[in-house]
């Protein structure tokens, strides 16, 4: 398709999404705003570890929260424009950051947080999903697989 045709479709998709899903869009916007409010509150506590009870995981987790705010916003905009695959690709990094942050904060003896801080590659499936025994992770693994499929240059 030509650029102008793509642009026309994008605008049509946006109008249809606003018309059909305005309530859901409003809920998502409120969630993004609420997450930002929590981030603002927590930011002031970063230098007060005695209050937050966090260790080394604190700064990379906060960094992930900030990146996730932007990625969630971008994913919403792309999805409203009908660019679902691109929106899902952004959600992959959001999901990955949340899983790493949660796992790292719970497993203080694990070297996962050290890898994250050092900028080393962390493979979510091997570093986290395969280590969780309970609860059952069927849905989490299905979501991860779906998000990976749209992020790679495969038939998906």
């Amino acid at each position: 398709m030509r650029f102008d045709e793509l642009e026309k479709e994008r605008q049509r998709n946006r109008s249809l999404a606003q018309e059909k899903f305005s309530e859901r869009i409003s809920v998502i916007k409120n969630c993004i705003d609420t997450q930002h409010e929590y981030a603002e509150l927590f930011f002031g506590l970063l230098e007060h570890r005695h209050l937050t009870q966090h260790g080394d995981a604190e700064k990379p987790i906060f960094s992930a929260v900030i990146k996730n705010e932007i990625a969630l916003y971008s994913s919403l905009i792309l999805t409203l424009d009908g660019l679902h695959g691109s929106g899902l690709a952004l959600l992959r990094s959001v999901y990955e950051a949340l899983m790493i942050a949660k796992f790292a904060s719970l497993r203080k003896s694990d070297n996962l947080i050290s890898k994250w801080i050092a900028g080393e590659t962390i493979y979510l499936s091997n570093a986290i999903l395969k280590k969780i025994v309970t609860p059952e992770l069927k849905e989490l693994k299905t979501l991860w697989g779906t998000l990976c499929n749209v992020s790679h240059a495969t038939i998906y």
Side-chain angles (χ1 to χ4, degrees):
M1 291 179 106
R2 293 179 171 273
F3 182 85
D4 56 338
E5 293 169 331
L6 290 169
E7 184 62 17
K8 188 190 288 186
E9 273 303 301
R10 186 192 64 77
Q11 290 172 1
R12 188 178 76 78
N13 287 335
R14 175 64 70 99
S15 295
L16 286 172
Q18 294 287 3
E19 179 184 311
K20 294 185 179 227
F21 303 108
S22 63
E23 239 177 83
R24 290 181 185 181
I25 293 167
S26 180
V27 168
I28 294 168
K29 288 178 180 179
N30 286 337
C31 287
I32 290 171
D33 288 344
T34 301
Q35 179 178 314
H36 181 75
E37 288 175 25
Y38 281 119
E40 283 182 324
L41 289 171
F42 185 74
F43 183 72
L45 299 174
L46 273 179
E47 300 303 321
H48 304 283
R49 289 183 176 197
H50 64 286
L51 296 174
T52 62
Q53 300 299 310
H54 284 98
D56 293 335
E58 194 171 76
K59 288 185 180 180
I61 289 172
F62 188 71
S63 173
V65 168
I66 299 300
K67 291 176 187 177
N68 283 357
E69 282 184 346
I70 295 165
L72 285 170
Y73 167 79
S74 300
S75 180
L76 175 62
I77 297 304
L78 289 166
T79 302
L80 292 176
D81 287 348
L83 302 169
H84 307 99
S86 299
L88 282 174
L90 287 171
L91 288 181
R92 179 179 186 251
S93 67
V94 171
Y95 181 74
E96 189 173 18
L98 288 173
M99 291 294 287
I100 292 170
K102 181 65 175 177
F103 198 74
S105 68
L106 293 175
R107 302 237 343 211
K108 295 181 187 338
S109 64
D110 199 292
N111 69 353
L112 183 64
I113 196 64
S114 300
K115 285 183 174 182
W116 196 7
I117 290 170
E120 294 177 28
T121 300
I122 299 172
Y123 297 100
L124 184 71
S125 291
N126 292 332
I128 296 171
L129 295 178
K130 289 182 180 177
K131 290 183 180 179
I132 299 173
V133 179
T134 59
E136 172 62 36
L137 297 179
K138 182 180 177 190
E139 291 83 6
L140 295 176
K141 289 178 180 177
T142 300
L143 175 59
W144 180 242
T146 301
L147 294 174
C148 287
N149 284 341
V150 299
S151 299
H152 298 291
T154 61
I155 62 170
Y156 303 99

